[in-house]
Structures are given as C-alpha cells and as structure tokens.
Amino acid sequence: MDTFKFMKDDWVKEKGGSQLMQVDEYQIVEIVDSLNGSATFPVPRRIFSGKVWCTWINKNKAVITQPFWEDDLEPATHRQAESHDYPSLNHTH
C-alpha cells in the first residue's frame, strides 16, 4: 500500500520554489504482474506512479494542471496559502 505525503486540495509548492499550487490527484498506473512468476496468469494491478497532479493560476489568469514528482513538492505554509486570494481550484459542477 502506498503512503501519500499530501491529500487532495492540499496547498503545496516545489521545493525551493514559490508558486503556490493545489493538489488535484495522484497519478495511478496499471502494471501487470505474473502470478507466482508464471506469465500464463497475468494479474493487473494499479500502483502510484510517483507523480502528483497540481493546479494553479498563472500570471495570465489561466488555470494550469501539471504533474510533479511527489518528492519534489513540499507543503505550503498556512501563511502562504492565506496570502493568495485563490478560491479552491477543484471545481465540481
């Protein structure tokens, strides 16, 4: 089982960066394992790829969504999140 560093809607930034982003989702990929080493019985599994999709608003007011390696991200402090007047970037209609 994978352990994730962030949850959906957490505010993050790249390590050493200042761009405030919101976690959108974890990238999951499907791999095929062989049952007991036998190629006759392939078993598909879903695993975390290591990438996190983050969303932010750029200088031109465009919404950008891009994957980042989870290890390249760090939590944004509460003070940083308050300094931007961004509504939640994850809209449900």
PDB file of all heavy atoms in Angstrom, residues 8 15 26 28 31 33 39-40 44 49-50 52-53 57 59 65 68-69 77 80 85-87 89-90:
ATOM      1  N   LYS A   8      -5.735  15.448  -1.445  1.00  0.00           N
ATOM      2  CA  LYS A   8      -6.395  16.292  -2.436  1.00  0.00           C
ATOM      3  C   LYS A   8      -6.736  17.635  -1.787  1.00  0.00           C
ATOM      4  O   LYS A   8      -7.162  17.694  -0.647  1.00  0.00           O
ATOM      5  CB  LYS A   8      -7.661  15.600  -2.933  1.00  0.00           C
ATOM      6  CG  LYS A   8      -8.403  16.380  -4.003  1.00  0.00           C
ATOM      7  CD  LYS A   8      -9.586  15.576  -4.502  1.00  0.00           C
ATOM      8  CE  LYS A   8     -10.448  16.318  -5.465  1.00  0.00           C
ATOM      9  NZ  LYS A   8      -9.830  16.779  -6.665  1.00  0.00           N
ATOM     10  N   LYS A  15       9.927  22.281  -4.059  1.00  0.00           N
ATOM     11  CA  LYS A  15      10.983  22.563  -3.094  1.00  0.00           C
ATOM     12  C   LYS A  15      11.847  23.702  -3.617  1.00  0.00           C
ATOM     13  O   LYS A  15      12.304  23.666  -4.754  1.00  0.00           O
ATOM     14  CB  LYS A  15      11.832  21.318  -2.845  1.00  0.00           C
ATOM     15  CG  LYS A  15      11.097  20.254  -2.068  1.00  0.00           C
ATOM     16  CD  LYS A  15      11.955  19.042  -1.828  1.00  0.00           C
ATOM     17  CE  LYS A  15      11.148  18.005  -1.044  1.00  0.00           C
ATOM     18  NZ  LYS A  15      11.881  16.748  -0.886  1.00  0.00           N
ATOM     19  N   TYR A  26      -3.459  12.029  -7.452  1.00  0.00           N
ATOM     20  CA  TYR A  26      -2.258  11.214  -7.599  1.00  0.00           C
ATOM     21  C   TYR A  26      -2.376  10.431  -8.900  1.00  0.00           C
ATOM     22  O   TYR A  26      -3.452   9.950  -9.242  1.00  0.00           O
ATOM     23  CB  TYR A  26      -2.121  10.232  -6.431  1.00  0.00           C
ATOM     24  CG  TYR A  26      -1.543  10.883  -5.205  1.00  0.00           C
ATOM     25  CD1 TYR A  26      -2.344  11.556  -4.295  1.00  0.00           C
ATOM     26  CD2 TYR A  26      -0.179  10.842  -4.972  1.00  0.00           C
ATOM     27  CE1 TYR A  26      -1.807  12.170  -3.178  1.00  0.00           C
ATOM     28  CE2 TYR A  26       0.371  11.449  -3.849  1.00  0.00           C
ATOM     29  CZ  TYR A  26      -0.452  12.103  -2.968  1.00  0.00           C
ATOM     30  OH  TYR A  26       0.094  12.707  -1.868  1.00  0.00           O
ATOM     31  N   ILE A  28      -2.111   7.329 -11.018  1.00  0.00           N
ATOM     32  CA  ILE A  28      -2.121   5.885 -10.825  1.00  0.00           C
ATOM     33  C   ILE A  28      -1.914   5.221 -12.194  1.00  0.00           C
ATOM     34  O   ILE A  28      -2.510   5.644 -13.180  1.00  0.00           O
ATOM     35  CB  ILE A  28      -3.473   5.418 -10.221  1.00  0.00           C
ATOM     36  CG1 ILE A  28      -3.778   6.167  -8.915  1.00  0.00           C
ATOM     37  CG2 ILE A  28      -3.497   3.906 -10.028  1.00  0.00           C
ATOM     38  CD1 ILE A  28      -2.796   5.938  -7.800  1.00  0.00           C
ATOM     39  N   ILE A  31      -0.058  -1.851 -13.918  1.00  0.00           N
ATOM     40  CA  ILE A  31       1.034  -2.737 -14.303  1.00  0.00           C
ATOM     41  C   ILE A  31       0.502  -4.161 -14.317  1.00  0.00           C
ATOM     42  O   ILE A  31      -0.566  -4.438 -13.768  1.00  0.00           O
ATOM     43  CB  ILE A  31       2.245  -2.628 -13.354  1.00  0.00           C
ATOM     44  CG1 ILE A  31       1.874  -3.084 -11.940  1.00  0.00           C
ATOM     45  CG2 ILE A  31       2.811  -1.225 -13.342  1.00  0.00           C
ATOM     46  CD1 ILE A  31       3.072  -3.335 -11.047  1.00  0.00           C
ATOM     47  N   ASP A  33       1.460  -8.002 -13.271  1.00  0.00           N
ATOM     48  CA  ASP A  33       2.327  -8.928 -12.536  1.00  0.00           C
ATOM     49  C   ASP A  33       2.031 -10.346 -13.006  1.00  0.00           C
ATOM     50  O   ASP A  33       0.933 -10.646 -13.474  1.00  0.00           O
ATOM     51  CB  ASP A  33       2.060  -8.864 -11.030  1.00  0.00           C
ATOM     52  CG  ASP A  33       2.739  -7.685 -10.364  1.00  0.00           C
ATOM     53  OD1 ASP A  33       3.686  -7.135 -10.941  1.00  0.00           O
ATOM     54  OD2 ASP A  33       2.304  -7.327  -9.259  1.00  0.00           O
ATOM     55  N   ALA A  39       3.999 -16.435 -16.499  1.00  0.00           N
ATOM     56  CA  ALA A  39       3.500 -15.473 -17.485  1.00  0.00           C
ATOM     57  C   ALA A  39       2.129 -15.886 -18.018  1.00  0.00           C
ATOM     58  O   ALA A  39       1.480 -15.126 -18.712  1.00  0.00           O
ATOM     59  CB  ALA A  39       4.502 -15.346 -18.628  1.00  0.00           C
ATOM     60  N   THR A  40       1.689 -17.096 -17.667  1.00  0.00           N
ATOM     61  CA  THR A  40       0.401 -17.604 -18.149  1.00  0.00           C
ATOM     62  C   THR A  40      -0.779 -16.904 -17.475  1.00  0.00           C
ATOM     63  O   THR A  40      -1.829 -16.752 -18.066  1.00  0.00           O
ATOM     64  CB  THR A  40       0.293 -19.122 -17.886  1.00  0.00           C
ATOM     65  OG1 THR A  40       1.489 -19.745 -18.314  1.00  0.00           O
ATOM     66  CG2 THR A  40      -0.878 -19.714 -18.622  1.00  0.00           C
ATOM     67  N   PRO A  44      -3.337  -7.814 -13.459  1.00  0.00           N
ATOM     68  CA  PRO A  44      -3.172  -6.348 -13.497  1.00  0.00           C
ATOM     69  C   PRO A  44      -3.309  -5.748 -12.099  1.00  0.00           C
ATOM     70  O   PRO A  44      -4.114  -6.208 -11.285  1.00  0.00           O
ATOM     71  CB  PRO A  44      -4.305  -5.883 -14.405  1.00  0.00           C
ATOM     72  CG  PRO A  44      -5.301  -6.977 -14.395  1.00  0.00           C
ATOM     73  CD  PRO A  44      -4.577  -8.244 -14.044  1.00  0.00           C
ATOM     74  N   SER A  49       2.300   6.113  -9.414  1.00  0.00           N
ATOM     75  CA  SER A  49       3.444   6.319 -10.308  1.00  0.00           C
ATOM     76  C   SER A  49       4.540   7.170  -9.686  1.00  0.00           C
ATOM     77  O   SER A  49       5.655   7.207 -10.193  1.00  0.00           O
ATOM     78  CB  SER A  49       2.980   6.998 -11.595  1.00  0.00           C
ATOM     79  OG  SER A  49       2.628   8.352 -11.334  1.00  0.00           O
ATOM     80  N   GLY A  50       4.216   7.873  -8.610  1.00  0.00           N
ATOM     81  CA  GLY A  50       5.184   8.788  -8.002  1.00  0.00           C
ATOM     82  C   GLY A  50       4.908  10.241  -8.355  1.00  0.00           C
ATOM     83  O   GLY A  50       5.543  11.141  -7.834  1.00  0.00           O
ATOM     84  N   VAL A  52       2.272  13.593  -8.783  1.00  0.00           N
ATOM     85  CA  VAL A  52       1.094  14.255  -8.231  1.00  0.00           C
ATOM     86  C   VAL A  52       0.691  15.349  -9.208  1.00  0.00           C
ATOM     87  O   VAL A  52       1.530  16.145  -9.638  1.00  0.00           O
ATOM     88  CB  VAL A  52       1.427  14.897  -6.861  1.00  0.00           C
ATOM     89  CG1 VAL A  52       0.232  15.632  -6.305  1.00  0.00           C
ATOM     90  CG2 VAL A  52       1.912  13.843  -5.884  1.00  0.00           C
ATOM     91  N   TRP A  53      -0.578  15.396  -9.588  1.00  0.00           N
ATOM     92  CA  TRP A  53      -1.071  16.457 -10.471  1.00  0.00           C
ATOM     93  C   TRP A  53      -1.470  17.647  -9.613  1.00  0.00           C
ATOM     94  O   TRP A  53      -2.261  17.522  -8.665  1.00  0.00           O
ATOM     95  CB  TRP A  53      -2.267  15.964 -11.286  1.00  0.00           C
ATOM     96  CG  TRP A  53      -1.837  15.051 -12.393  1.00  0.00           C
ATOM     97  CD1 TRP A  53      -1.573  13.715 -12.303  1.00  0.00           C
ATOM     98  CD2 TRP A  53      -1.573  15.417 -13.739  1.00  0.00           C
ATOM     99  NE1 TRP A  53      -1.177  13.229 -13.521  1.00  0.00           N
ATOM    100  CE2 TRP A  53      -1.165  14.247 -14.424  1.00  0.00           C
ATOM    101  CE3 TRP A  53      -1.650  16.617 -14.451  1.00  0.00           C
ATOM    102  CZ2 TRP A  53      -0.837  14.247 -15.775  1.00  0.00           C
ATOM    103  CZ3 TRP A  53      -1.324  16.610 -15.799  1.00  0.00           C
ATOM    104  CH2 TRP A  53      -0.921  15.442 -16.445  1.00  0.00           C
ATOM    105  N   ILE A  57      -3.028  28.955 -10.846  1.00  0.00           N
ATOM    106  CA  ILE A  57      -3.397  30.012 -11.795  1.00  0.00           C
ATOM    107  C   ILE A  57      -2.140  30.805 -12.105  1.00  0.00           C
ATOM    108  O   ILE A  57      -1.488  31.324 -11.202  1.00  0.00           O
ATOM    109  CB  ILE A  57      -4.489  30.919 -11.203  1.00  0.00           C
ATOM    110  CG1 ILE A  57      -5.743  30.094 -10.910  1.00  0.00           C
ATOM    111  CG2 ILE A  57      -4.806  32.065 -12.164  1.00  0.00           C
ATOM    112  CD1 ILE A  57      -6.828  30.838 -10.199  1.00  0.00           C
ATOM    113  N   LYS A  59       0.193  33.894 -14.310  1.00  0.00           N
ATOM    114  CA  LYS A  59       0.094  35.360 -14.397  1.00  0.00           C
ATOM    115  C   LYS A  59      -1.001  35.825 -15.346  1.00  0.00           C
ATOM    116  O   LYS A  59      -1.559  36.903 -15.174  1.00  0.00           O
ATOM    117  CB  LYS A  59       1.425  35.950 -14.869  1.00  0.00           C
ATOM    118  CG  LYS A  59       2.554  35.794 -13.905  1.00  0.00           C
ATOM    119  CD  LYS A  59       3.786  36.462 -14.485  1.00  0.00           C
ATOM    120  CE  LYS A  59       4.933  35.485 -14.458  1.00  0.00           C
ATOM    121  NZ  LYS A  59       6.145  35.986 -15.069  1.00  0.00           N
ATOM    122  N   THR A  65      -2.667  22.747 -15.021  1.00  0.00           N
ATOM    123  CA  THR A  65      -2.587  21.482 -14.283  1.00  0.00           C
ATOM    124  C   THR A  65      -1.403  20.717 -14.846  1.00  0.00           C
ATOM    125  O   THR A  65      -1.303  20.539 -16.057  1.00  0.00           O
ATOM    126  CB  THR A  65      -3.883  20.668 -14.426  1.00  0.00           C
ATOM    127  OG1 THR A  65      -4.971  21.453 -13.950  1.00  0.00           O
ATOM    128  CG2 THR A  65      -3.811  19.382 -13.619  1.00  0.00           C
ATOM    129  N   PHE A  68       3.908  16.604 -11.072  1.00  0.00           N
ATOM    130  CA  PHE A  68       5.198  16.799 -10.414  1.00  0.00           C
ATOM    131  C   PHE A  68       5.519  15.528  -9.652  1.00  0.00           C
ATOM    132  O   PHE A  68       4.617  14.847  -9.161  1.00  0.00           O
ATOM    133  CB  PHE A  68       5.134  17.960  -9.407  1.00  0.00           C
ATOM    134  CG  PHE A  68       4.918  19.298 -10.038  1.00  0.00           C
ATOM    135  CD1 PHE A  68       3.634  19.761 -10.266  1.00  0.00           C
ATOM    136  CD2 PHE A  68       5.989  20.090 -10.404  1.00  0.00           C
ATOM    137  CE1 PHE A  68       3.427  21.003 -10.846  1.00  0.00           C
ATOM    138  CE2 PHE A  68       5.796  21.330 -10.989  1.00  0.00           C
ATOM    139  CZ  PHE A  68       4.510  21.778 -11.217  1.00  0.00           C
ATOM    140  N   TRP A  69       6.804  15.214  -9.518  1.00  0.00           N
ATOM    141  CA  TRP A  69       7.194  14.105  -8.659  1.00  0.00           C
ATOM    142  C   TRP A  69       6.852  14.490  -7.228  1.00  0.00           C
ATOM    143  O   TRP A  69       7.131  15.610  -6.797  1.00  0.00           O
ATOM    144  CB  TRP A  69       8.682  13.803  -8.785  1.00  0.00           C
ATOM    145  CG  TRP A  69       9.048  13.228 -10.119  1.00  0.00           C
ATOM    146  CD1 TRP A  69       9.711  13.860 -11.119  1.00  0.00           C
ATOM    147  CD2 TRP A  69       8.726  11.933 -10.608  1.00  0.00           C
ATOM    148  NE1 TRP A  69       9.830  13.024 -12.202  1.00  0.00           N
ATOM    149  CE2 TRP A  69       9.238  11.831 -11.909  1.00  0.00           C
ATOM    150  CE3 TRP A  69       8.061  10.829 -10.068  1.00  0.00           C
ATOM    151  CZ2 TRP A  69       9.103  10.681 -12.688  1.00  0.00           C
ATOM    152  CZ3 TRP A  69       7.930   9.681 -10.845  1.00  0.00           C
ATOM    153  CH2 TRP A  69       8.450   9.610 -12.129  1.00  0.00           C
ATOM    154  N   THR A  77       3.082  26.702   3.602  1.00  0.00           N
ATOM    155  CA  THR A  77       2.652  27.062   4.945  1.00  0.00           C
ATOM    156  C   THR A  77       1.284  27.710   4.890  1.00  0.00           C
ATOM    157  O   THR A  77       0.869  28.251   3.867  1.00  0.00           O
ATOM    158  CB  THR A  77       3.646  28.038   5.601  1.00  0.00           C
ATOM    159  OG1 THR A  77       3.663  29.243   4.846  1.00  0.00           O
ATOM    160  CG2 THR A  77       5.044  27.435   5.665  1.00  0.00           C
ATOM    161  N   GLN A  80       1.336  31.243   3.589  1.00  0.00           N
ATOM    162  CA  GLN A  80       1.454  31.378   2.140  1.00  0.00           C
ATOM    163  C   GLN A  80       0.098  31.202   1.473  1.00  0.00           C
ATOM    164  O   GLN A  80      -0.255  31.939   0.572  1.00  0.00           O
ATOM    165  CB  GLN A  80       2.419  30.339   1.573  1.00  0.00           C
ATOM    166  CG  GLN A  80       3.862  30.628   1.868  1.00  0.00           C
ATOM    167  CD  GLN A  80       4.735  29.450   1.460  1.00  0.00           C
ATOM    168  OE1 GLN A  80       4.360  28.293   1.640  1.00  0.00           O
ATOM    169  NE2 GLN A  80       5.890  29.768   0.936  1.00  0.00           N
ATOM    170  N   ASP A  85      -5.359  35.061  -2.927  1.00  0.00           N
ATOM    171  CA  ASP A  85      -6.817  35.065  -2.907  1.00  0.00           C
ATOM    172  C   ASP A  85      -7.372  34.076  -3.917  1.00  0.00           C
ATOM    173  O   ASP A  85      -8.194  34.424  -4.747  1.00  0.00           O
ATOM    174  CB  ASP A  85      -7.348  36.465  -3.230  1.00  0.00           C
ATOM    175  CG  ASP A  85      -7.901  37.156  -2.013  1.00  0.00           C
ATOM    176  OD1 ASP A  85      -8.019  36.497  -0.977  1.00  0.00           O
ATOM    177  OD2 ASP A  85      -8.207  38.355  -2.118  1.00  0.00           O
ATOM    178  N   TYR A  86      -6.930  32.824  -3.863  1.00  0.00           N
ATOM    179  CA  TYR A  86      -7.384  31.811  -4.799  1.00  0.00           C
ATOM    180  C   TYR A  86      -8.555  31.062  -4.196  1.00  0.00           C
ATOM    181  O   TYR A  86      -8.453  30.541  -3.101  1.00  0.00           O
ATOM    182  CB  TYR A  86      -6.298  30.792  -5.108  1.00  0.00           C
ATOM    183  CG  TYR A  86      -5.094  31.330  -5.837  1.00  0.00           C
ATOM    184  CD1 TYR A  86      -3.841  30.790  -5.618  1.00  0.00           C
ATOM    185  CD2 TYR A  86      -5.201  32.361  -6.754  1.00  0.00           C
ATOM    186  CE1 TYR A  86      -2.734  31.257  -6.289  1.00  0.00           C
ATOM    187  CE2 TYR A  86      -4.101  32.831  -7.433  1.00  0.00           C
ATOM    188  CZ  TYR A  86      -2.868  32.288  -7.184  1.00  0.00           C
ATOM    189  OH  TYR A  86      -1.781  32.743  -7.853  1.00  0.00           O
ATOM    190  N   PRO A  87      -9.650  30.962  -4.925  1.00  0.00           N
ATOM    191  CA  PRO A  87     -10.696  30.045  -4.472  1.00  0.00           C
ATOM    192  C   PRO A  87     -10.188  28.629  -4.736  1.00  0.00           C
ATOM    193  O   PRO A  87      -9.187  28.432  -5.398  1.00  0.00           O
ATOM    194  CB  PRO A  87     -11.886  30.374  -5.385  1.00  0.00           C
ATOM    195  CG  PRO A  87     -11.257  30.959  -6.610  1.00  0.00           C
ATOM    196  CD  PRO A  87      -9.986  31.641  -6.158  1.00  0.00           C
ATOM    197  N   LEU A  89      -9.377  25.439  -6.477  1.00  0.00           N
ATOM    198  CA  LEU A  89      -9.197  25.250  -7.915  1.00  0.00           C
ATOM    199  C   LEU A  89      -9.887  24.000  -8.413  1.00  0.00           C
ATOM    200  O   LEU A  89      -9.976  23.769  -9.610  1.00  0.00           O
ATOM    201  CB  LEU A  89      -7.708  25.186  -8.242  1.00  0.00           C
ATOM    202  CG  LEU A  89      -6.933  26.457  -7.932  1.00  0.00           C
ATOM    203  CD1 LEU A  89      -5.441  26.211  -8.096  1.00  0.00           C
ATOM    204  CD2 LEU A  89      -7.388  27.605  -8.800  1.00  0.00           C
ATOM    205  N   ASN A  90     -10.362  23.178  -7.517  1.00  0.00           N
ATOM    206  CA  ASN A  90     -11.025  21.934  -7.910  1.00  0.00           C
ATOM    207  C   ASN A  90     -12.532  22.144  -7.890  1.00  0.00           C
ATOM    208  O   ASN A  90     -13.165  22.102  -6.865  1.00  0.00           O
ATOM    209  CB  ASN A  90     -10.645  20.791  -6.966  1.00  0.00           C
ATOM    210  CG  ASN A  90      -9.178  20.508  -7.037  1.00  0.00           C
ATOM    211  OD1 ASN A  90      -8.655  20.305  -8.126  1.00  0.00           O
ATOM    212  ND2 ASN A  90      -8.498  20.500  -5.908  1.00  0.00           N
TER     213      ASN A  90
END
